[in-house]
Amino acid sequence: MPASASPFDPLTLGPVRLRNRFIRAGANEGMTVEGAPSKALVKHHRDVAAGGAAMTTVAYGAISEVGRTLPNQLWLRPEILPDLRVLTDAVHAEGAAASVQITHGGSFVTGCKVKGATMSASSGINQAGLLAGNWFQRAMTPADMELVTQQFVTAARLCREAGFDAVELHMGHGYLLNQFISPLSNKRRDAYGGDAMRRVRFPAEVLRRVKDAVGRDMAVLAKINVADGVPGGATVDDAIVTARALEAAGADMLVLSGGRNIESVWFMFGSNHDLDEMMKVLKAIPGSGLARLATKFMMGRAPKVEFRELYFLELSRRIRAAVKVPLGYLGGVKSLAAAEAATTEGFDAIVLARALIHDPALVNKFRDGTLAVSGCTSCNRCVPYIYHPAGTWCVMNPPNELALNQLRASA
């Protein structure tokens, strides 16, 4: 990337040309109806596109029914193709590209009961699934790996048919592909376990197959962890191995995140969650008593973290120095100065979630000088609302009325 690159310069990722370098991160919106996009989800991403972002990422598209982590998660299947097309058409009408994050939960199934043991890199007690009754997990066999790989390919082809410009394979945060990459989950002793190169073998094979299937028409991205953030987890040295393997497999860009949903969510967000807001949302969900107790326990164990901008910068620099593949910087960009700093450091895109939930028009405001700093306070009170029937919103703004009206109409 030229040293003079600005966050507002165009960016080419594989066959896709973006109007600037701001991307809405794949972060669960919680705005689906029976696993299909709702009008509220379409509006959410249309607003981000109209607000100036070059590409907006629809989150957590499960590649199979058993790959869902939550019962109402977006589930990619032919029956919802017309709904997906409405969403991509809305984004394209505002001049932006549309990406979709495709994933499989593996053993991280917190809201659905799966028949039998959940799939994962290794067998044992399934800590993430205990509250949903998924007590055990089993190590994936070669047949399982081939099935899941083909499901990723099929989902990517469906997304291409739906008009998406990019797919992002989620390889972070404790989902199935990350369960292979992270030593917290991967205890295998075969060719898919052991050192970092062997642990990334299966995820890299999945990406290569997806790239071969749709890479001429779509950008193929992957989200990875710069580190797991806890002792015994993947380190930045492991992340460098992962990045090199995915670069060799043909990734058009890697989005750099960090942390795991169970072990180190505070590391992921660079700040602590708001326990009171989480309890308020969970309390409204029938049968959530055990979930509330577990949440209190986990949040009580988290270290106190003070938010700082660019909180993944030091680790991300190490990866930037090790690979040539385009990298999307994610982690605490709340100001135009921070976005410019990231591009100066050599990162090709700026990936935002909370700042765009707070203000979907932030990119346009950065461009025209209306704002230099986002009003997002990194309080994380938007996060619990992924479990709310109306979906996530910034609590400093009015509620998501379209989603609430849709919810009332279906009651």
Side-chain angles (χ1 to χ4, degrees):
M1 186 181 71
S4 60
S6 156
F8 299 105
D9 287 342
L11 173 64
T12 298
L13 300 175
V16 178
R17 183 170 174 82
L18 304 181
R19 61 187 178 187
N20 60 55
R21 293 164 185 257
F22 288 98
I23 296 174
R24 199 284 197 194
N28 197 357
E29 309 92 347
M31 301 175 188
T32 56
V33 177
E34 297 181 353
S38 66
K39 292 179 181 178
L41 186 67
V42 172
K43 180 181 185 302
H44 176 82
H45 287 284
R46 184 180 64 236
D47 287 349
V48 170
M55 185 162 71
T56 184
T57 309
V58 181
Y60 295 3
I63 61 171
S64 66
E65 184 176 13
V66 75
R68 298 172 301 157
T69 64
L70 297 168
N72 204 29
Q73 180 179 350
L74 182 66
W75 170 21
L76 299 168
R77 58 202 192 279
E79 291 83 352
I80 70 166
L81 185 60
D83 303 294
L84 294 171
R85 174 62 75 172
V86 170
L87 196 161
T88 58
D89 285 348
V91 171
H92 292 154
E94 301 295 346
S99 179
V100 58
Q101 189 178 76
I102 58 177
T103 188
H104 189 297
S107 62
F108 186 72
V109 183
T110 59
C112 306
K113 178 68 176 74
V114 175
K115 183 178 181 180
T118 56
M119 289 189 294
S120 188
S122 300
S123 60
I125 301 296
N126 181 3
Q127 296 181 359
L130 291 176
L131 294 179
N134 300 308
W135 299 333
F136 300 102
Q137 60 191 47
R138 62 179 179 83
M140 290 177 69
T141 65
D144 293 326
M145 292 182 194
E146 176 57 31
L147 172 63
V148 168
T149 300
Q150 187 55 53
Q151 288 172 337
F152 269 101
V153 169
T154 300
R157 287 174 170 154
L158 177 73
C159 293
R160 177 179 62 186
E161 187 177 354
F164 283 99
D165 305 282
V167 288
E168 178 184 287
L169 281 66
H170 201 332
M171 299 186 183
H173 300 174
Y175 299 100
L176 179 61
L177 297 181
N178 182 253
Q179 289 159 32
F180 276 81
I181 293 170
S182 174
L184 292 172
S185 302
N186 190 337
K187 310 297 181 183
R188 300 175 75 103
R189 297 184 179 181
D190 62 3
Y192 295 95
D195 64 23
M197 190 66 227
R198 287 194 288 270
R199 296 197 308 269
V200 75
R201 181 181 174 185
F202 175 54
E205 289 174 354
V206 173
L207 188 141
R208 187 184 299 277
R209 289 272 293 275
V210 170
K211 177 77 172 181
D212 289 346
V214 301
R216 290 186 179 182
D217 307 306
M218 308 175 76
V220 178
L221 286 58
K223 176 178 276 189
I224 67 171
N225 282 359
V226 295
D228 288 346
V230 289
T235 66
V236 67
D237 291 320
D238 296 329
I240 289 170
V241 174
T242 294
R244 286 172 172 163
L246 297 176
E247 180 176 40
D252 292 308
M253 187 170 76
L254 304 178
V255 176
L256 304 181
S257 187
R260 303 244 304 182
N261 284 314
I262 297 297
E263 296 90 348
S264 53
V265 69
W266 51 268
F267 183 75
M268 185 190 308
F269 287 89
S271 54
N272 296 102
H273 285 309
D274 188 295
L275 179 59
D276 291 340
E277 199 75 30
M278 185 71 77
M279 290 301 104
K280 182 173 73 174
V281 174
L282 291 179
K283 191 174 182 179
I285 300 174
S288 66
L290 285 176
R292 296 200 302 274
L293 287 174
T295 300
K296 285 182 180 180
F297 175 73
M298 288 189 298
M299 292 177 69
R301 296 177 62 193
K304 180 65 177 176
V305 179
E306 295 295 334
F307 179 86
R308 60 183 177 89
E309 274 203 284
L310 300 174
Y311 55 84
F312 281 146
L313 181 58
E314 291 83 0
L315 297 173
S316 298
R317 278 175 177 153
R318 294 273 310 277
I319 300 171
R320 177 70 289 169
V323 295
K324 295 181 180 179
V325 64
L327 297 178
Y329 178 83
L330 185 157
V333 173
K334 294 204 301 184
S335 66
L336 179 56
E340 291 171 339
T343 54
T344 298
E345 292 270 356
F347 296 100
D348 302 83
I350 309 302
V351 187
L352 309 169
R354 287 168 289 180
L356 291 177
I357 292 172
H358 173 72
D359 186 355
L362 181 64
V363 175
N364 280 342
K365 292 176 182 179
F366 278 169
R367 182 189 289 275
D368 66 22
T370 304
L371 281 180
V373 180
S374 166
C376 173
T377 63
S378 305
C379 68
N380 295 328
R381 286 184 289 163
C382 57
V383 177
Y385 288 91
I386 64 174
Y387 304 109
H388 189 282
T392 194
W393 72 73
C394 175
V395 299
M396 293 188 287
N397 295 333
N400 187 337
E401 286 297 334
L402 178 59
L404 287 172
N405 291 337
Q406 190 167 324
L407 179 65
R408 295 183 189 110
S410 63

